[in-house]
Amino acid sequence: MRVLGIETSCDETGVAVYDTDRGLLAHALFSQISLHAQYGGVVPELASRDHVRKLLPLVRQVLAEAGLAPADLDGVAYTAGPGLVGALMVGAATGRALAWALDRPAVGVHHMEGHLLAPLLEDPGLKPPFVALLVSGGHTQLVEVAAVGEYRLLGETLDDAAGEAFDKTAKMMGLPYPGGPELARLAESGRPGLFSFSRPMTDRPGLDFSFSGLKTQVLLAWQGSDQTPETRADIARGFEDAVVETLAIKCQRALDQTGARTLVVAGGVGANARLRERLQALAEKRDARVCFPRPAFCTDNGAMIAFAGALRLMAGQHEAAVVTVTPRWDMASLPSV
Ligand code: KG4
Ligand code: ZN
């Protein structure tokens, strides 16, 4: 089955074709970073309008790269939530209309399920059960995955998401949008241990997270410092170490609690090199396995939506010929496959 995947939930237009026999045939991404940079964050209305401009050219490009005509598609998958409602509507309306015109089934995909399943895209041997750490700009969750579509939330952030903490901290120290990757780059040259921040909520049992206090600690450290580029890098390093260590401690607890031997990491912060290193070391120490998508498939992309949609379409699930999106969407409410 060949499935077109469309991702437009935030500031990236992603399109891909996934073939359930041959794997990923083509994928393309257009990032709106330069559009939003001057505002220091995503402007929802500008995001929607840019998705309108970029989506169909990207669909044409991906089909050409895959050597396919539209009629060769067997189904269409689009992100139906969570996300920015206007941005979601662009992908949903386009995907639904394409499927209607081609007389093929269409399915609305949960964006976080897309992230969660992304590691399986390139590793056919990887199968549930496992524990997933989802770390994106909007979510920080530990999820027990019994099967595709059977998700139990073990813990989540009570305030800022990990990616959001990276972005806000970077902004506070004057780094350009999007701050997360910038701050990680800066931390590379920072010296470890010069600035030490707390590992929030690791001193009590449980798998929930809280990152907003950490952000305040960094602000106070930054305001009280000499604010040189070297100090900024040292603070970035201290912040990154605190987030990475906090995530690692909770992952370890989640593996202990569930008895799972596999940890899957997905979402934009999963592209962070130090997090990947730390979780790799954790897995090796306890003879477990940790799996990440390649960094480009950690951040938003069309491939993960094509893949997750293909699994649901293969299971016979599809939407009625109406366009609905769900900007706030609990993943535990999904049907199993
Ligand atoms: O999954 P994603 O692309 O979009 C959402 O669904 O939110 O995640 C984006 C988040 C942003 O907060 C971004 O700063 C963060 O992931 N991010 C990183 C890195 N690359 C992206 N955070 C830390 N280190 C990175 N290398
Ligand atoms: Zn995402």
Side-chain angles (χ1 to χ4, degrees):
M1 179 181 246
R2 285 183 288 241
V3 177
L4 179 75
I6 295 174
E7 157 61 34
T8 63
S9 67
C10 190
D11 58 349
E12 248 118 27
T13 318
V15 178
V17 180
Y18 180 79
D19 185 324
T20 50
D21 293 325
R22 292 162 58 207
L24 190 63
L25 299 185
H27 67 100
L29 186 86
F30 181 83
S31 170
Q32 303 178 352
I33 283 177
S34 57
L35 177 69
H36 301 292
Q38 56 183 310
Y39 304 99
V42 180
V43 184
E45 182 58 25
L46 294 183
S48 312
R49 288 172 190 219
D50 207 50
H51 287 308
V52 171
R53 276 190 288 271
K54 299 294 171 7
L55 184 52
L56 280 178
L58 273 186
V59 169
R60 288 195 195 97
Q61 178 189 328
V62 162
L63 286 175
E65 279 170 23
L68 299 177
D72 296 326
L73 294 171
D74 301 301
V76 179
Y78 54 86
T79 304
L84 302 170
V85 66
L88 290 168
M89 281 304 290
V90 177
T94 308
R96 197 70 205 71
L98 264 174
W100 174 262
L102 296 169
D103 196 20
R104 301 288 190 272
V107 66
V109 172
H110 193 296
H111 181 80
M112 295 313 292
E113 181 178 56
H115 275 303
L116 189 153
L117 297 177
L120 282 65
L121 177 62
E122 296 174 294
D123 186 349
L126 175 58
K127 294 204 164 49
F130 52 72
V131 164
L133 172 69
L134 298 179
V135 270
S136 71
H139 293 76
T140 298
Q141 297 184 329
L142 275 162
V143 180
E144 185 177 21
V145 180
V148 174
E150 285 181 36
Y151 308 124
R152 192 166 74 89
L153 186 64
L154 299 171
E156 65 182 333
T157 183
L158 305 179
D159 40 56
D160 292 349
E164 189 180 0
F166 263 92
D167 294 338
K168 287 180 174 172
T169 302
K171 197 171 176 179
M172 267 165 16
M173 293 201 293
L175 298 177
Y177 161 87
E182 284 290 330
L183 193 136
R185 220 180 340 270
L186 189 65
E188 287 302 307
S189 59
R191 291 164 294 177
L194 278 179
F195 287 87
S196 176
F197 302 111
S198 63
R199 277 76 171 129
M201 296 187 68
T202 54
D203 57 351
R204 66 194 91 162
L207 294 171
D208 286 334
F209 303 90
S210 164
F211 291 110
S212 74
L214 191 54
K215 189 181 63 193
T216 312
Q217 284 180 35
V218 173
L219 179 64
L220 293 176
W222 174 241
Q223 285 175 340
S225 77
D226 57 11
Q227 303 202 350
T228 59
E230 292 75 28
T231 301
R232 188 157 66 170
D234 294 338
I235 293 179
R237 177 65 195 260
F239 168 80
E240 187 182 57
D241 282 345
V243 174
V244 166
E245 197 49 36
T246 303
L247 294 173
I249 290 169
K250 299 283 168 144
C251 284
Q252 186 156 349
R253 271 187 208 171
L255 290 174
D256 286 340
Q257 187 176 311
T258 58
R261 303 291 305 278
T262 305
L263 174 68
V264 156
V265 184
V269 184
N272 184 277
R274 213 174 298 283
L275 179 67
R276 295 169 84 97
E277 236 170 63
R278 178 68 184 84
L279 294 180
Q280 194 68 52
L282 181 148
E284 272 163 28
K285 211 165 136 199
R286 48 190 296 144
D287 201 20
R289 191 173 163 215
V290 61
C291 309
F292 309 89
R294 62 170 106 155
F297 291 166
C298 282
T299 45
D300 291 348
N301 65 86
M304 67 185 195
I305 302 304
F307 179 69
L311 294 184
R312 292 201 170 270
L313 288 168
M314 287 284 279
Q317 297 176 9
H318 54 85
E319 316 291 339
V322 289
V323 179
T324 44
V325 297
T326 314
R328 295 172 70 86
W329 195 358
D330 179 2
M331 199 161 62
S333 69
L334 294 175
S336 57
V337 170

